[in-house]
Amino acid sequence: MTGEPSGAGDAGSARSAGGVVPPAERGATRIADRVVAGIAAQAAREALGHLPPDVARPHTGVEVRHGTARVRVVLELDYPCDVGGRCAAVRRRVAERVEELAGRRVTEVAVRVERLHLVPPHGAAQGRTR
């Protein structure tokens, strides 16, 4: 008897010469869909920058299959603004961050603007005028 627990010799034989376990035998990391959705929501907030306090934060839904992700983003915007430009910025940022942080290739980012909030021009009078 060598003093090794039973089966310990088997684990040692799976190691390479340098004592490192081969990648195929290390296991896998699973990232939950809700984590990918959280990354997407944070990325959408980053892309939008500062929003007025009455504007709701973006919310997201994801579908992850075979290492790819499809993302849906629902957001509200201040208005007037370049709606198309802001949606394009959200799509770019969400795709970049999900790929970078979750390792998922993003095949689609669908952005839906649910509401526009009218923001008075800077310096405009508030209330009634005579």
Side-chain angles (χ1 to χ4, degrees):
M1 192 162 241
T2 63
E4 292 181 9
S6 105
D10 295 340
S13 65
R15 295 179 187 268
S16 66
V20 177
V21 177
E25 297 186 23
R26 291 184 196 156
T29 301
R30 171 143 166 52
I31 300 173
D33 292 0
R34 67 186 171 96
V35 173
V36 177
I39 292 169
Q42 177 62 36
R45 286 191 293 274
E46 292 169 2
L48 292 173
H50 177 73
L51 290 173
D54 61 333
V55 174
R57 301 177 88 168
H59 54 276
T60 58
V62 299
E63 181 181 316
V64 179
R65 289 192 180 159
H66 309 295
T68 64
R70 293 175 52 188
V71 182
R72 294 175 316 282
V73 181
V74 178
L75 49 87
E76 298 181 6
L77 296 174
D78 51 339
Y79 187 82
C81 72
D82 176 6
V83 174
R86 298 204 57 201
C87 290
V90 167
R91 279 191 291 275
R92 276 191 306 274
R93 185 68 177 168
V94 166
E96 289 170 358
R97 296 298 281 170
V98 168
E99 289 180 22
E100 179 183 336
L101 296 176
R104 303 290 185 261
R105 186 172 62 86
V106 178
T107 58
E108 176 185 3
V109 179
V111 177
R112 185 177 86 205
V113 178
E114 193 167 76
R115 188 171 174 193
L116 296 173
H117 293 265
L118 184 61
V119 177
H122 185 68
Q126 299 267 336
R128 293 173 45 177
T129 58
R130 291 182 184 236

